[in-house]
Amino acid sequence: MMWPGSNMPYTKAKLNCTYMKAYNMSLPWNDRVDTAFQWIRDPKQPANLVMLYVEEPDYYGHIYGPDSDRVAQLLVKLNDLTRYIWDKVREFGLQERVNVVHLSDHGMDSLSPKNFINLTSFVPSDVKYDRYGNTPVLQIVPKVKQQTADLYRALKSASEKNGNFDVYTLENLPARWHFNNSQRTGPITAVARLGYGFDDMWETAEYYRKTYNVSVTPETKYGVHGYDNDLPVMHPIFFGYGPRIRERTMVDPFDTVDLFYLFCEILDLKPPAYLAGQRQHILGVLRNDSRDDDDGNGNGSTRTGTLVVIFAGSLVGSFALVSMLAFVVLWQRRRRENLVPSYLYDEAESFLDEGNKLLPASASTHQQQQSQYQHHPSSNHRSHHQHHQLRSSASINGDVVSIDV
């Protein structure tokens, strides 16, 4: 459902999705969910993996910034969408058949024009270069290959003097980024520090001014992501529920690529041998064949507190974690009987109602709530995971896929 690449065949067999709907921002969110459930309940070809993309709060977060009133309003809508999905699972009696996972692929931070960096001002006038990419990561390619060393030295000196960006050659890029690929990475990479960006942002600011009537001042706030993924503000979210997912559970951070193992486990599929992730990282998310393995970690009051924090982290906390909200419905192959207690859903309605009261009505309210709820550490392509909020790193972007596995 509006997932990127879903309209392209893959593998030598030219496989494609059983169902597909191209990206269309004008299609209401609830209509997207309704279509997804039609695919799941199709009597002839029921979908067992549905991926549904929602463009907010990322889209307007870029334009108005993650701390804007516009994003606050969108979080209320996303809360309503989360309830709508939950209600549909119960309406169709799929509590013991469908696992729902909400994902994001990154966080977001504010950036103002006063912190735009002009790289050209640091480079000798006789050294020309092309740049590719967008703030906060630019590929720098000299027009004359023999000037690569001179260009690097000039930029490296400026980065050390100013302290608001870093510069790397292909050879000294941090290994944890998995970015040192000579076919896709330029000879020089410039990475802005958090809160800073490069002068390519002037083009973006001008576009927002013309298209959305956003005034451009030194203090205007835009939303940007792509900074170092070790930074907490870049961390995404992951939370889920269903017959294969443990209740009231927080697990250790895991990497985005580990989600492939999670989906394979839920769908009873054998993962391919070439995967770079770690299966053991996601085992704490999954329950065994009974609910006896759920770890409540305390009494009812502890669980209630966790529910509130989970809700705040997935919605209120999204001011700092603005990104894509993805909804993955995983149709379980083996029907399991009497696994979902009725109290779980009644409890969720109560907690969602309480959560609505927590959503910010103004920027000042938002700041208070951030200080209250954003004390949980997380990680970007590594994050915290809970049931009813399992926070994680989900690097899934995009347009729409339903795959009949």
Side-chain angles (χ1 to χ4, degrees):
M1 174 61 67
M2 303 190 184
W3 203 265
S6 58
N7 59 332
M8 301 295 292
Y10 56 97
T11 77
K12 294 181 180 180
K14 301 296 181 182
L15 299 175
N16 211 331
C17 302
T18 306
Y19 305 102
M20 191 278 293
K21 186 172 286 293
Y23 183 68
N24 176 10
M25 281 184 58
S26 65
L27 187 64
W29 296 351
N30 286 5
D31 290 355
R32 303 179 198 185
V33 173
D34 291 342
T35 300
F37 276 99
Q38 289 175 11
W39 295 346
I40 293 170
R41 301 175 64 245
D42 187 272
K44 294 183 179 180
Q45 281 190 303
N48 55 13
L49 172 62
V50 176
M51 294 184 177
L52 186 154
Y53 177 67
V54 178
E55 64 279 357
E56 299 296 357
D58 182 81
Y59 187 87
Y60 282 111
H62 279 294
I63 301 168
Y64 299 104
D67 299 314
S68 63
D69 290 340
R70 178 67 64 93
V71 171
Q73 296 165 7
L74 287 169
L75 293 180
V76 175
K77 290 184 62 178
L78 288 167
N79 175 41
D80 293 340
L81 180 66
T82 302
R83 176 192 289 276
Y84 187 76
I85 294 169
W86 189 293
D87 288 342
K88 286 296 177 181
V89 170
R90 290 184 298 165
E91 176 184 339
F92 297 123
L94 300 174
Q95 298 97 314
E96 299 178 20
R97 298 291 298 276
V98 169
N99 298 271
V100 179
V101 176
H102 292 263
L103 305 169
S104 67
D105 60 341
H106 52 71
M108 184 174 283
D109 196 36
S110 297
L111 173 61
S112 298
K114 66 181 181 180
N115 288 335
F116 292 175
I117 303 167
N118 182 2
L119 289 180
T120 304
S121 65
F122 306 134
V123 178
S125 59
D126 62 330
V127 178
K128 307 298 181 182
Y129 65 90
D130 294 315
R131 60 173 171 80
Y132 303 91
N134 306 97
T135 287
V137 181
L138 293 182
Q139 303 297 312
I140 309 297
V141 182
K143 291 184 179 292
V144 178
K145 187 176 181 180
Q146 289 74 14
Q147 292 182 324
T148 300
D150 293 337
L151 179 57
Y152 172 73
R153 280 193 294 267
L155 292 174
K156 183 67 174 177
S157 175
S159 71
E160 292 174 348
K161 179 180 179 180
N162 292 277
N164 49 20
F165 70 101
D166 297 297
V167 179
Y168 304 93
T169 63
L170 185 63
E171 293 75 23
N172 64 17
L173 280 163
R176 62 186 174 84
W177 289 351
H178 302 281
F179 201 53
N180 54 343
N181 183 323
S182 59
Q183 293 182 335
R184 299 187 178 186
T185 307
I188 301 172
T189 300
V191 181
R193 298 280 182 94
L194 190 67
Y196 291 88
F198 299 115
D199 50 3
D200 66 294
M201 278 297 298
W202 286 116
E203 301 169 14
T204 302
E206 179 63 12
Y207 173 76
Y208 291 158
R209 185 188 69 81
K210 290 181 176 179
T211 308
Y212 299 99
N213 198 30
V214 176
S215 299
V216 182
T217 73
E219 305 295 332
T220 301
K221 291 184 177 182
Y222 305 102
V224 177
H225 52 78
Y227 296 98
D228 191 328
N229 59 2
D230 265 357
L231 295 167
V233 75
M234 291 293 103
H235 298 169
I237 60 171
F238 167 91
F239 63 95
Y241 57 89
R244 292 298 306 273
I245 299 174
R246 292 186 183 218
E247 300 173 20
R248 301 179 295 275
T249 300
M250 177 186 291
V251 301
D252 292 333
F254 59 77
D255 295 319
T256 296
V257 293
D258 300 331
L259 287 168
F260 200 111
Y261 288 99
L262 176 65
F263 299 159
C264 286
E265 289 288 333
I266 292 176
L267 292 167
D268 294 325
L269 298 174
K270 182 179 180 180
Y274 57 76
L275 283 185
Q278 298 292 327
R279 175 179 175 271
Q280 62 267 29
H281 290 171
I282 55 86
L283 294 181
V285 177
L286 299 165
R287 70 168 76 250
N288 295 324
D289 287 337
S290 75
R291 289 182 177 269
D292 296 335
D293 65 332
D294 284 335
D295 183 4
N297 293 318
N299 57 27
S301 61
T302 302
R303 291 197 298 269
T304 301
T306 301
L307 285 173
V308 173
V309 171
I310 288 166
F311 177 85
S314 64
L315 293 174
V316 178
S318 290
F319 279 90
L321 301 170
V322 174
S323 58
M324 175 193 73
L325 175 68
F327 153 50
V328 183
V329 178
L330 300 167
W331 183 272
Q332 187 182 348
R333 289 192 167 191
R334 294 176 299 178
R335 181 174 179 84
R336 299 141 72 87
E337 298 297 330
N338 302 318
L339 292 184
V340 180
S342 58
Y343 76 82
L344 177 62
Y345 304 101
D346 295 331
E347 182 181 61
E349 282 199 350
S350 173
F351 116 74
L352 285 171
D353 287 334
E354 289 299 314
N356 273 320
K357 300 175 184 178
L358 297 174
L359 284 171
S362 66
S364 61
T365 305
H366 153 61
Q367 292 170 353
Q368 295 171 1
Q369 290 171 322
Q370 270 196 319
S371 64
Q372 180 179 358
Y373 294 114
Q374 291 185 341
H375 63 281
H376 282 283
S378 56
S379 79
N380 178 20
H381 287 295
R382 302 182 66 80
S383 45
H384 279 83
H385 322 288
Q386 309 167 350
H387 169 66
H388 292 181
Q389 154 114 325
L390 286 163
R391 273 233 280 214
S392 137
S393 75
S395 179
I396 300 181
N397 259 313
D399 209 45
V400 174
V401 183
S402 164
I403 304 174
D404 191 22
V405 180

